[in-house]
Amino acid sequence: MVDVEKLTKVLKLEAQDGYQNRKVMRGLETFITNWVTLSLKNNPTPTESRLIEMVADRLTDYGMLLPTARVQAVQAVLEASAFVLKGDRELGPGDGVKPSPNSSQPSAVSRQPTVNSATQNSEFKPNPPASLPEINPTTQNSKLKTQHSIQSSPIDLSAPIISVKGVGEAYARLLEFIEVRTIGDALYYFPFRHEDFSSFHKITELLWGRVESVLAQVVDKTVTRTRNGKEIVEIMLSDETGQMRAIFFNSKMVYSLKPGAQVVMSGRVERYQNNSICFKAPQFELADHELLHTGRLVPVYHLAGPLKQQALRRLIKSVVDRYAESLPEHLPADILQRNSLDGLAYSVKNLHFPPDIATKERVRRRLAFDEFFLIQLGVLSKRHEWQDERPSIPFRPDPGLLDGWYKSLPFELTDDQRGSVYSILSDISHEKPMRRLVQGDVGSGKTVVAATALLAVMAQGYQGVMMAPTQILAEQHFKGLSRIFAKFAESESAQVRQLVPRLALLSGSVKKKDKEATYAKILAGEVDIVIGTTAIIQEGVEFNKLGLVITDEQHRFGVVQRSTLRDKANITNPHVLTMTATPIPRSLSLTIYGDLDISVIKTMPPGRKPIKTKMVHPDERDKAYDFIRKQIAKGYQAFVICPLVEESEKIEAKAAIDEHARLQADIFPDLKLALLHGRMKPSEKDQIMLAFRDKQHDILVATSVIEVGIDIPNATIILIEGADRFGLAQLHQFRGRVGRGDAQSYCLLLPGDELSEAGQQRLQIIEQSNDGFYLAEQDLKMRGPGEFFGTRQSGVPDLRVAGLGDTDLLELARTEASQLFARDPDLLGYPLIAKKVSQLWSTEGDLS
């Protein structure tokens, strides 16, 4: 006897709840699957069989239906159930309501086989993963509008994860390991890959070494113990073509696998005794349940702490089933249609649990577009706020001054340097504040470009600031600029204009008494150019007339630091120039510095000798040490970079300490070695680098924390241990620590004992090229999305879905964001987008 009353009761509750799919744990589709399976076991009458077929047809994929389709499906089944309960007549093929065209659902009849578990030797097919509706805005724009108009009220994405049914306080604490604290966090905690367990094969069709899925029956189960007490559980599986084993190592894992059970198993096929086949610790699920861990594209999530993959997957499935469909669509219909993008709810569901690879890539494209689009709107908004909230002072240096300046320089500017200077001087000649980034490879001559901008501001009675991330870099800039401006002060052009640049240094090494005197001079306008570290933004520093702010290696500064420095200008906005020696691919610069105009200095000043780079095999280590000793005997210095250790900075520091001790005791006992690692205080690092610069040490042993931009002209050789563990961009930055003087310099790359093919390829590329921009592009291609540059430190929201290789998609999103922003810069007509942008940037601040 089929329990039609129970079906009717559940469906009426669902209707009373507004078709929200929350009255049944794990969704109505789970109840339907179980109800259909149980009903088929209870010898249904012909009328009941037709009802079961209709229920399978209409409701198996209920969680994936659009709201209108849900209403029609539930009402159709309720109407048919009423006929069965009354016994009026038999149901025919035409009974009920046909599936709504809005659902885009293929008929479930062809996908929902009739199951009769009583006949155990007959072929049994499991319920496959739910087929998902296809949403193509290009051809179904009206469907999107319909979906939006009847959509349920938006969910509270900020609701704590503990509000999800089944999540207790203990598990909520575990989820904090992966920073999943709210419903929104769970919905957007996307898998980093999927295991393809979607194709089923018969046992005799399985191939060694392949990842396969089988549907079989458990026919036997044996448990044995090894001499050390470990359990080995053998499960014998059978289908109509043959038998195989599944091996497990803990009987608790397979408690539910009892003889007679129908099971789906997915895993790698391995050899067993007598050339038979087996699975070892495969994923499995009973075949009468909805498949989640097997028989489909199975999501794999990043884990941390004691979290387990299957438990996390079940939680996210329940959250997606319960809440994803209520996600409000924030993108306008015309953008969706123009770019052939799927709806938000559909995309979130299917990036977690896609029915196939094509759907996965299509929805990934939609969500990647989202990220780029919102980031671009954010940077456009911040640029708008910066440039329109208050004007800047226009600076127009006279041509005679510039001619004298260029003549006073001890070298000719390169074409790239001249182009950058021209762009900067053009920018600062307007009231709209400049926001420009100068990218220049190591040693390309960014400092003289910055000095020219400072001169233009100083010539009109305003002050300029250059802020560096470390004391040694600040002192380096101070000495370099002092030399350049002292030479200029001797020129006729400066003397005619009575222009004598006055520079001051503010850093942690400056004594308190001297600092206070410098503060007073800055406030009185007796200092033209201030160079320093974050000491510049301390409370006591007040400017007379601040016109230009320059930050070197600006991604090293926090948002608050940059904003505080900018606000020192009081009434007007200063012009802002940022510099970086990290060559950045165009796609990445659009993401990180999307609100800045960009100048690139690629050509190197004449006379620079290319650094000779060579990969050294591990068995040639002693030759590398001999070469270092010969360089030091000539009066030069050397760097030794320790391998990257990913576990923690503490472990990496310990490894560096051990390596320093080994080199000092066993390899270079007669030389002076210094040590630098990330666990040291900033003041300790500065002291060591200053001592090394002053030739108090022969060799500096350092971890990957070695500072960008440190200028040690006497260092001519760098040995990079474990070089294959670093990316090309970082290797290039390490290499840039040498080659700063007139002598020929060398970079030795020493890989680890187990050199991978990709690692070898990276080392061969950097051996052949000194072009940082070429290497940056190659690095981005090889290392993949999100690994090239830590966007978190740059003040830009993380990319969860988009890849930095998605250049075309980035350009598309940038174009759409620019067009929308031009129409409505305050996003007043797009409240959902405005909210998204605000949330995305709420803790990130600006990029100035």
Side-chain angles (χ1 to χ4, degrees), residues 51-63:
L51 175 63
I52 295 169
E53 186 176 352
M54 174 183 284
V55 170
D57 181 25
R58 300 293 195 273
L59 299 176
T60 298
D61 298 332
Y62 184 81

Side-chain angles (χ1 to χ4, degrees), residues 553-566:
E553 296 303 332
Q554 72 95 32
H555 62 276
R556 303 288 303 280
F557 293 105
V559 171
V560 175
Q561 293 171 326
R562 295 197 302 272
S563 299
T564 303
L565 180 56
R566 183 191 70 185

Side-chain angles (χ1 to χ4, degrees), residues 440-503:
D441 207 346
V442 175
S444 62
K446 298 181 297 298
T447 303
V448 71
V449 172
T452 307
L454 289 167
L455 174 68
V457 171
M458 180 186 65
Q460 289 187 219
Y462 280 78
Q463 297 165 305
V465 165
M466 179 179 283
M467 189 164 73
T470 65
Q471 178 180 324
I472 188 169
L473 266 178
E475 292 186 13
Q476 188 172 293
H477 281 311
F478 179 73
K479 290 179 179 178
L481 289 175
S482 295
R483 285 195 300 268
I484 292 176
F485 283 119
K487 184 71 174 175
F488 170 69
E490 298 172 0
S491 70
E492 181 181 350
S493 180
Q495 292 176 358
V496 166
R497 293 169 175 79
Q498 296 183 342
L499 198 58
V500 181
R502 297 165 296 180
L503 282 67

Side-chain angles (χ1 to χ4, degrees), residues 141 145 149 203 250 265 351 368 414 508 538 572 694 700 839:
N141 189 32
K145 291 179 180 177
S149 63
I203 289 177
N250 189 328
M265 282 199 179
L351 191 56
T414 65
Q538 301 304 314
T572 60
D694 295 339
L700 177 65
Q839 290 172 339

Side-chain angles (χ1 to χ4, degrees), residues 165-316:
K165 192 170 184 179
V167 177
E169 290 184 6
Y171 196 66
R173 284 195 294 271
L174 292 184
L175 292 172
E176 289 186 3
F177 279 100
I178 55 173
E179 298 183 3
V180 171
R181 298 180 177 87
T182 67
I183 292 172
D185 292 340
L187 285 175
Y188 281 86
Y189 193 74
F190 294 118
F192 68 93
R193 65 181 174 89
H194 286 79
E195 293 277 10
D196 190 355
F197 294 154
S198 59
S199 58
F200 284 88
H201 289 92
K202 301 298 182 185
I203 289 177
T204 55
E205 298 172 346
L206 300 180
L207 299 175
W208 282 315
R210 294 274 298 270
V211 174
E212 305 271 28
S213 294
V214 297
L215 168 66
Q217 184 178 10
V218 177
V219 295
D220 193 21
K221 177 179 179 179
T222 60
V223 180
T224 59
R225 289 187 178 275
T226 63
R227 291 180 178 179
N228 58 8
K230 292 185 178 180
E231 287 184 335
I232 296 179
V233 183
E234 289 191 17
I235 304 294
M236 182 63 72
L237 302 170
S238 175
D239 66 10
E240 67 272 22
T241 69
Q243 292 187 333
M244 70 176 295
R245 287 178 173 82
I247 311 299
F248 296 88
F249 302 98
N250 189 328
S251 59
K252 293 180 181 178
M253 296 170 58
V254 292
Y255 177 78
S256 60
L257 295 184
K258 299 175 181 178
Q262 297 284 353
V263 64
V264 176
M265 282 199 179
S266 298
R268 186 171 299 279
V269 181
E270 300 188 32
R271 293 179 185 270
Y272 195 59
Q273 300 166 356
N274 301 322
N275 278 333
S276 60
I277 59 174
C278 75
F279 285 134
K280 289 185 179 178
Q283 301 281 329
F284 71 88
E285 292 178 277
L286 296 179
D288 59 351
H289 291 73
E290 179 189 13
L291 299 182
L292 180 58
H293 311 293
T294 58
R296 65 177 302 154
L297 285 176
V298 177
V300 182
Y301 300 92
H302 283 298
L303 299 175
L307 282 171
K308 302 298 182 185
Q309 189 68 239
Q310 288 202 3
L312 179 60
R313 192 180 295 135
R314 282 193 295 270
L315 167 69
I316 292 181

Side-chain angles (χ1 to χ4, degrees), residues 82-103:
F83 283 128
V84 174
L85 289 172
K86 291 179 181 178
D88 288 350
R89 61 177 176 86
E90 286 197 10
L91 293 172
D95 285 318
V97 181
K98 293 182 179 180
S100 166
N102 281 345
S103 68

Side-chain angles (χ1 to χ4, degrees), residues 17 20-23 27 155 164 187 316-326:
D17 194 43
Q20 298 294 305
N21 199 18
R22 59 190 181 191
K23 284 297 182 182
I155 60 175
V164 175
L187 285 175
I316 292 181
K317 182 65 164 64
S318 68
V319 172
V320 167
D321 287 348
R322 169 66 184 85
Y323 298 103
E325 65 188 33
S326 299

